Amino acid sequence: MRFCSLLLLVSMLLSAGPLRAEEIALFTVDVKLSGTGVDQLDVRLSCEREPPFELMQTVPVDATRSFTVAAPADKGMSCVIDTQAPTGHQLAFVGDGGSQFDPDGAGCTFSDVRRGHTNFCQIRIVNEKTSLAVFKRWIGTSKKEPDVEISLDCGSGENYRPLKINADRPGEWELQVSDPDGITCSVSEERSDAYVDDVSDCRDLLILSGASEECTIVNTRVVKMIEMLNRYGLAVMVLAFMVVGGLAARKMIP
């Protein structure tokens, strides 16, 4: 009995024949990338009809794919083209065509989709800005100190250019984060006998995609003995002459 029912269903489908162009709605999707890190997107078309319709396709960057869906004969339907943003990226959707496009909808949202309608959806991918800003603070000095070079290591094999920073000039790196769990980064700076550096605030930083992180490196100025002599030597010499002169004057008084 079940076998006979199956044969009947197959014969009905075959007798119906393929859908004609005037019985379907067509959706064309292309993907544009501004940045790096994405090769393709898994795009889904879903339509509210009876029965509900859903279709997935993989669309490479800078390529176009088409979706077709059988449309009701006597009324319009709503359809949405959507995808999930890759980690470290943001999406924008632009649509147009014979159906009504909703620019405020999720993805490319079309309403009143009818037979014979042709619609277009462009998915634009842009890198999500992730940054780390490093500030400098000096202790033990009131004069202008020279710039200090800092380096960044995120353990990913990517090389970030060194930066020169100072108290009045912080430095900032833009990072590419594709791991949904984020990346761990540490900042180091060039060593000098002129100061003691404290980089503890800039070590083992967990940075998530889209975050704007910041940290501060503190440098304590080292005052050397020669600098102390230069600073206080004249006063000491003047005081010494005054003492010697006073003693000599006392000896000359009978």
Side-chain angles (χ1 to χ4, degrees):
M1 185 68 178
R2 293 178 59 186
F3 179 71
C4 292
S5 299
L6 180 60
L7 286 178
L8 179 61
L9 176 61
V10 171
S11 64
M12 291 174 62
L13 291 174
L14 291 176
S15 63
L19 290 171
R20 298 188 300 272
E22 61 269 18
E23 297 177 330
I24 65 173
L26 175 66
F27 296 87
T28 301
V29 179
D30 75 350
V31 175
K32 297 296 183 183
L33 173 64
S34 176
T36 59
V38 179
D39 298 322
Q40 60 188 27
L41 289 178
D42 292 326
V43 179
R44 178 179 64 254
L45 168 66
S46 57
C47 295
E48 295 180 359
R49 61 165 215 188
E50 292 298 333
F53 177 84
E54 185 171 298
L55 180 63
M56 291 280 295
Q57 285 200 61
T58 298
V59 184
V61 169
D62 294 329
T64 300
R65 294 291 184 269
S66 295
F67 296 78
T68 57
V69 54
D74 55 349
K75 62 179 181 179
M77 61 181 176
S78 296
C79 295
V80 177
I81 297 172
D82 202 2
T83 186
Q84 184 173 359
T87 301
H89 298 80
Q90 295 178 332
L91 300 179
F93 297 85
V94 178
D96 196 8
S99 306
Q100 182 67 40
F101 173 71
D102 181 3
D104 298 323
C108 281
T109 300
F110 296 92
S111 60
D112 197 27
V113 179
R114 295 181 178 269
R115 290 185 171 189
H117 280 191
T118 298
N119 296 300
F120 171 76
C121 176
Q122 183 176 86
I123 305 176
R124 300 172 180 174
I125 315 171
V126 295
N127 286 95
E128 191 173 41
K129 182 179 179 180
T130 305
S131 64
L132 171 62
V134 183
F135 295 86
K136 167 71 64 183
R137 185 162 67 92
W138 289 95
I139 295 177
T141 180
S142 58
K143 66 177 183 178
K144 171 70 174 179
E145 296 292 337
D147 294 344
V148 180
E149 184 175 282
I150 59 174
S151 302
L152 179 65
D153 180 13
C154 293
S156 58
E158 185 170 353
N159 294 321
Y160 296 96
R161 74 185 190 283
L163 302 176
K164 292 280 191 178
I165 67 170
N166 214 322
D168 58 349
R169 191 177 65 156
E172 181 178 282
W173 285 286
E174 287 195 15
L175 313 177
Q176 180 64 41
V177 181
S178 58
D179 191 332
D181 295 326
I183 58 177
T184 301
C185 299
S186 293
V187 180
S188 59
E189 74 170 3
E190 61 180 338
R191 292 297 186 89
S192 172
D193 294 336
Y195 54 81
V196 176
D197 64 322
D198 180 3
V199 296
S200 58
D201 189 48
C202 296
R203 305 292 294 180
D204 299 325
L205 300 170
L206 177 61
I207 303 176
L208 301 176
S209 175
S212 297
E213 299 289 344
E214 61 183 44
C215 66
T216 301
I217 296 177
V218 179
N219 291 130
T220 302
R221 192 76 165 85
V222 175
V223 180
K224 298 180 181 180
M225 184 61 67
I226 186 64
E227 294 180 4
M228 294 182 65
L229 289 176
N230 290 338
R231 186 181 304 174
Y232 304 111
L234 181 60
V236 172
M237 291 178 62
V238 171
L239 181 60
F241 280 120
M242 291 177 61
V243 172
V244 172
L247 294 175
R250 291 182 59 183
K251 290 181 178 179
M252 294 177 62
I253 298 176

